[in-house]
Amino acid sequence: MTSSAPLAASHVSVLDLAPVVPVVVLEDPADAVPLARALVAGGLPAIEVTLRTGAALDAIRAIAGNVPEAVVGAGTVISTRNVAETVEAGARFLVSPGWTDTLLDAMKASGLPFLPGVSSTSEVVALLERGVNEMKFFPAEAAGGTAYLKALASPLPQARFCPTGGISLASAPSYLALPNVGCVGGSWMVPADAVAAKDWARVEQLAAGAAALRG
């Protein structure tokens, strides 16, 4: 999959690209390209760059322009301005920690795949009512973890999730075993000390371990 082809046009869901979507917080946009290359080399092509720092948009732009094998997305999207800015920067999918009607409309209008955040049954039903069946479950561990998602599977089998928030290498397999979980989001393969040291070999090794969680 190349960055020139929209993810939506490929009929491949963000949830099906890899078992884990790295959640990346970057302070220096110069780290974006080598980090993305390490993650892709390890088998994790979908990369969520969160809008938590001033470097985020430049990082998305750098990955989109220099790492065509990566499917770079924007996380922590919480406003219509965020949607517009990340689309302009080259993001190929959008992820929000929660949603409002205004934000949902903007994400839909972007033409990009998106994962609106939910943490309650009512939010899931409201999204299904709006024609959205792929969601981020956040904050996963604090909101009930695997027990909560397992309980949703029978009454709401059409909803699919990417749980994110507090998930580790040890806990990820229990989420991935659930029928309504397509992938998980996590940051354990991009530890802050490895990024600070520019230890891309370590990032690639951790990414490979995450990619192997679902054979």
Side-chain angles (χ1 to χ4, degrees):
M1 181 179 298
T2 65
S3 58
S4 60
L7 184 60
S10 68
H11 304 292
V12 176
S13 165
V14 174
L15 299 184
D16 298 323
L17 290 173
V20 180
V21 175
V23 179
V24 175
V25 180
L26 285 172
E27 301 289 345
D28 185 352
D31 291 333
V33 169
L35 177 65
R37 287 176 175 156
L39 291 170
V40 170
L44 301 181
I47 302 169
E48 177 188 336
V49 178
T50 69
L51 302 182
R52 300 179 195 175
T53 69
L57 290 175
D58 285 338
I60 292 170
R61 194 172 289 111
I63 296 170
N66 296 281
V67 193
E69 320 92 281
V71 180
V72 62
T76 323
V77 174
I78 59 172
S79 69
T80 56
R81 178 179 177 180
N82 286 162
V83 173
E85 289 177 338
T86 53
V87 169
E88 186 277 331
R92 296 178 60 196
F93 65 92
L94 307 173
V95 183
S96 68
W99 66 279
T100 64
D101 287 334
T102 299
L103 180 58
L104 190 69
D105 288 343
M107 290 193 292
K108 279 188 171 184
S110 74
L112 298 179
F114 59 92
L115 298 174
V118 296
S119 60
S120 72
T121 307
S122 293
E123 291 172 315
V124 175
V125 172
L127 283 177
L128 292 173
E129 193 175 70
R130 296 284 299 269
V132 178
N133 65 359
E134 296 188 345
M135 313 165 195
K136 171 179 178 172
F137 180 58
F138 177 82
E141 288 288 283
T146 55
Y148 195 96
L149 287 172
K150 186 176 182 179
L152 292 182
S154 292
L156 301 171
Q158 63 272 56
R160 297 183 72 214
F161 301 94
C162 173
T164 305
I167 298 176
S168 66
L169 177 63
S171 63
S174 60
Y175 282 94
L176 293 169
L178 298 175
N180 55 352
V181 170
C183 65
V184 300
S187 57
W188 73 85
M189 73 297 302
V190 285
D193 60 337
V195 175
K198 305 187 187 304
D199 189 350
W200 310 127
R202 181 182 171 203
V203 170
E204 180 178 342
Q205 181 181 32
L206 291 170
L213 289 175
R214 177 180 288 155

